[in-house]
Amino acid sequence: MFDAIRRLWRKGESTGSREAVRTESKRPHNLFEAAAVYVAASADDDQDTMDEARGWVSPEALSFGVSELACRAVIALARERDESPNDVARTLLGLPAA
């Protein structure tokens, strides 16, 4: 999953834009691709790419994909930091320790 995000990110960097993501292929996008592109575009404050990714799948599928991406990211960070997923999630959101 994260390798796919990195590949998309690198393609976008090599062209200087997200155009590589937009023209990558004509095959249908799955919910995980839509979520990855949507979240990366959101982090970059790229409204056009967010809107495009939003059109690839249903709102429910995009919501599920974003949720799954968040879960996987928290788990990966928790393992990397040797902390609990709860502690990592609270830290990322700026919440006090439980």
Side-chain angles (χ1 to χ4, degrees):
M1 172 70 187
F2 293 112
D3 288 336
I5 294 170
R6 283 189 210 106
R7 281 193 300 272
L8 287 173
W9 184 260
R10 287 185 188 130
K11 284 182 184 180
E13 285 178 351
S14 67
T15 62
S17 71
R18 296 241 182 241
E19 198 62 32
V21 173
R22 292 185 182 109
T23 60
E24 190 173 86
S25 71
K26 298 297 179 193
R27 67 176 172 73
H29 298 278
N30 70 40
L31 68 101
F32 295 115
E33 287 175 313
V37 171
Y38 181 84
V39 169
S42 179
D44 287 341
D45 198 27
D46 182 351
Q47 188 64 47
D48 291 337
T49 303
M50 289 171 61
D51 291 342
E52 182 176 347
R54 195 178 294 125
W56 292 346
V57 295
S58 72
E60 295 82 9
L62 183 61
S63 178
F64 174 80
V66 169
S67 178
E68 185 67 21
L69 178 58
C71 289
R72 292 179 187 197
V74 167
I75 290 168
L77 282 172
R79 288 178 181 159
E80 186 177 288
R81 296 177 180 182
D82 197 27
E83 297 178 14
S84 74
N86 185 50
D87 290 345
V88 170
R90 295 183 69 81
T91 299
L92 289 172
L93 292 172
L95 299 173

